């Protein structure tokens, strides 16, 4: 029997969110035998085209399975109404639509259209959960890890299970099963051989020991290294990583608003799990106040859209974004300041 499935998954915990999407995909395949899968970003597709695909796709394809990321961008009244009309209309085929956002919420009408467990916020893990997750991940793969090494890993890796899984898996290629991972191993595998990424770029941009011109030059060098080691589409992931970092900086400002002095427990529960990370965000807070942080987040969202619209200029667009963050504190530079 034809039926439609509509979900809204929000929040910063990417790993569990992706696992939930994978489970729903598996259920759709089991139910329908075959599905046609499409992955979109809200900035890339017109909602009218999406709804038309849902209404007409059954004529030419098996059940559709569609994910739309950055769903917080779906907020125009006309777009929201188009989606709501599809949700409320009789099902003509067994289609699935999942709206996904790294923000904690999207348009309230779209959220209200979800029934029961079809709507979920995937929060960042609490501090005790992160340590338990790392220990369990190593144990399931035939390794053990010291508590000091766990702390060191958590200081170096983004606070979500996707990033943790990717980075921790590197140990399994370097040591035999049964090995106990120590701090020396972490230094060897994650520190000395660590590839440049959004988090090392953020750390460089926030290096207050250098003046803005030096930080910009160092940041562009890291951008070049990332480019040399990456496949196509790497800049979208880079923007996502930087967005995560500046959202964390916004949380840091919130914790310290009006002269507050958060406890270590409060800092750790917000994702600032070690002295190294706390010192990093303390430095960053001296460079970008709360207002500048909000401007930078808006700039990153705009840059994400520009990268998708004009891929031929991707490197210049990204360099301009870094220039705007480091030199202009998140403001768009005047045209004459940077020659594309």
């Amino acid at each position: 029997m034809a039926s439609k499935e509509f979900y809204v998954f929000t929040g910063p915990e990417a790993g569990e969110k992706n696992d939930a999407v994978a489970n729903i995909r598996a259920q759709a395949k089991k139910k329908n035998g075959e599905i046609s899968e499409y992955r979109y970003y809200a900035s890339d597709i017109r909602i009218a085209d999406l709804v038309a695909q849902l209404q007409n796709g059954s004529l030419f394809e098996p059940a559709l399975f569609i994910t739309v990321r950055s769903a917080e961008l779906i907020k125009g009244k006309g777009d929201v109404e188009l989606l709501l009309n599809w949700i409320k209309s009789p099902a003509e085929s067994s289609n699935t639509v999942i709206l996904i956002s790294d923000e904690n919420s999207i348009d309230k009408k779209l959220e209200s259209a979800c029934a029961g467990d079809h709507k979920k916020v995937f929060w960042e893990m609490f501090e005790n959960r992160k340590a338990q997750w790392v220990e369990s991940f190593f144990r399931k793969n035939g390794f053990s890890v010291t508590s000091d090494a766990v702390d060191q890993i958590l200081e170096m890796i983004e606070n979500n299970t996707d990033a943790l899984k990717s980075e921790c898996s590197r140990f399994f290629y370097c040591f035999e099963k049964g090995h106990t991972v120590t701090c020396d191993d972490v230094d060897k595998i994650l520190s000395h051989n660590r590839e440049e990424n959004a988090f090392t770029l953020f750390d460089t941009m926030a290096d207050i020991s250098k003046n803005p011109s030096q930080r910009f030059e160092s940041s562009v060098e890291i951008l070049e290294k990332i480019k040399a080691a990456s496949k196509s589409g790497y800049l979208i992931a880079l923007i996502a990583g930087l967005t995560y970092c500046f959202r964390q900086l916004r949380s840091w400002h919130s914790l310290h608003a009006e002269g507050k002095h958060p406890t270590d427990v409060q800092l750790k529960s917000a994702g600032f799990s070690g002295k190294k990370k706390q010192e990093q965000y303390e430095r960053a807070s001296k460079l970008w106040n709360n207002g500048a942080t909000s401007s930078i987040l808006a700039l990153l969202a705009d840059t994400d859209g520009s990268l998708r619209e004009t891929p031929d200029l991707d490197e210049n667009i990204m360099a301009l974004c870094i220039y705007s963050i480091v030199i202009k504190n998140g403001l768009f530079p005047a045209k004459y300041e940077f020659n594309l």
Side-chain angles (χ1 to χ4, degrees):
M1 183 177 67
S3 64
K4 61 179 67 171
E5 298 286 338
F6 177 67
Y7 299 81
V8 173
F9 289 162
T10 60
E13 214 310 290
E16 292 183 358
K17 193 160 47 182
N18 289 339
D19 288 344
V21 172
N23 287 336
I24 296 171
R25 183 188 297 110
Q27 292 170 16
K29 287 182 177 178
K30 182 177 180 180
K31 175 182 177 181
N32 298 290
E34 186 178 358
I35 60 173
S36 289
E37 185 172 357
Y38 295 87
R39 302 175 186 181
Y40 300 120
Y41 281 84
S43 57
D44 290 345
I45 186 170
R46 294 173 64 247
I47 298 303
D49 293 337
L50 172 63
V51 172
Q53 180 183 17
L54 288 165
Q55 291 173 335
N56 302 322
S58 58
L59 300 175
F60 312 102
E61 301 181 277
L64 300 179
F65 185 90
I66 298 175
T67 56
V68 183
R69 295 186 179 270
S70 300
E72 72 277 2
L73 300 177
I74 306 173
K75 49 192 175 185
K77 182 178 179 181
D79 288 341
V80 171
E81 289 301 321
L82 277 172
L83 269 178
L84 290 175
N85 288 338
W86 173 78
I87 294 165
K88 296 173 183 177
S89 64
E92 297 180 357
S93 59
S94 298
N95 294 331
T96 300
V97 174
I98 308 177
L99 301 185
I100 303 169
S101 174
D102 292 335
E103 299 290 344
N104 293 336
S105 63
I106 62 170
D107 183 271
K108 297 302 180 186
K109 290 182 178 179
L110 293 175
E111 290 188 359
S112 298
C114 285
D117 60 357
H118 283 208
K119 179 180 67 175
K120 184 174 181 180
V121 181
F122 292 82
W123 302 105
E124 290 178 348
M125 290 184 291
F126 289 113
E127 189 67 20
N128 62 335
R129 279 196 63 205
K130 289 192 293 181
Q132 291 171 0
W133 189 97
V134 172
E135 291 172 356
S136 175
F137 186 69
F138 276 97
R139 185 170 57 252
K140 288 176 181 176
N141 286 277
F143 293 78
S144 57
V145 57
T146 67
S147 58
D148 288 343
V150 171
D151 291 340
Q152 191 169 346
I153 288 169
L154 292 174
E155 284 190 5
M156 299 175 66
I157 301 175
E158 180 185 353
N159 186 19
N160 73 68
T161 52
D162 244 13
L164 286 170
K165 186 181 299 182
S166 174
E167 292 295 302
C168 290
S169 294
R170 297 172 62 180
F171 292 92
F172 309 152
Y173 299 99
C174 300
F175 301 103
E176 296 290 334
K177 283 191 175 183
H179 179 79
T180 297
V181 174
T182 66
C183 288
D184 287 341
D185 297 329
V186 175
D187 281 334
K188 185 186 302 180
I189 303 303
L190 295 188
S191 297
H192 294 166
N193 298 322
R194 188 170 175 80
E195 295 178 353
E196 301 286 9
N197 54 36
F199 308 104
T200 60
L201 177 57
F202 175 77
D203 193 48
T204 297
M205 291 194 295
D207 184 357
I208 59 176
S209 68
K210 298 178 179 178
N211 64 43
S213 294
Q214 291 171 327
R215 289 188 285 117
F216 175 62
E217 183 178 350
S218 298
S219 298
V220 171
E221 289 176 357
I222 288 178
L223 180 61
E224 290 298 318
K225 291 179 182 177
I226 295 173
K227 173 190 172 184
S230 303
K231 300 178 181 178
S232 61
Y234 70 98
L235 288 177
I236 300 301
L238 187 61
I239 288 289
L242 288 176
T243 299
Y244 170 85
C245 292
F246 280 99
R247 283 177 181 154
Q248 284 294 94
L249 180 56
R250 185 170 59 186
S251 296
W252 180 273
H253 282 301
S254 178
L255 287 168
H256 292 82
E258 300 177 354
K260 294 177 183 176
H261 298 284
T263 65
D264 284 343
V265 172
Q266 289 173 317
L267 288 171
K268 289 180 177 180
S269 66
F272 306 104
S273 57
K275 293 298 182 184
K276 183 177 178 181
K277 183 169 286 188
Q278 291 170 18
E279 290 170 358
Q280 179 189 49
Y281 280 91
E282 176 65 24
R283 292 196 311 271
S285 71
K286 296 181 185 301
L287 290 171
W288 303 292
N289 60 25
N290 196 41
T293 302
S294 296
S295 295
I296 290 168
L297 286 168
L299 171 68
L300 288 166
D302 184 82
T303 301
D304 181 88
S306 297
L307 288 170
R308 299 177 194 280
E309 293 173 3
T310 54
D312 292 342
L313 294 175
D314 55 2
E315 294 171 31
N316 290 330
I317 291 171
M318 193 65 218
L320 178 56
C321 177
I322 294 173
Y323 176 88
S324 301
I325 293 171
V326 174
I327 305 296
K328 305 290 291 184
N329 287 336
L331 298 177
F332 288 86
K335 291 182 180 179
Y336 63 80
E337 291 186 80
F338 200 99
N339 182 16
L340 284 177

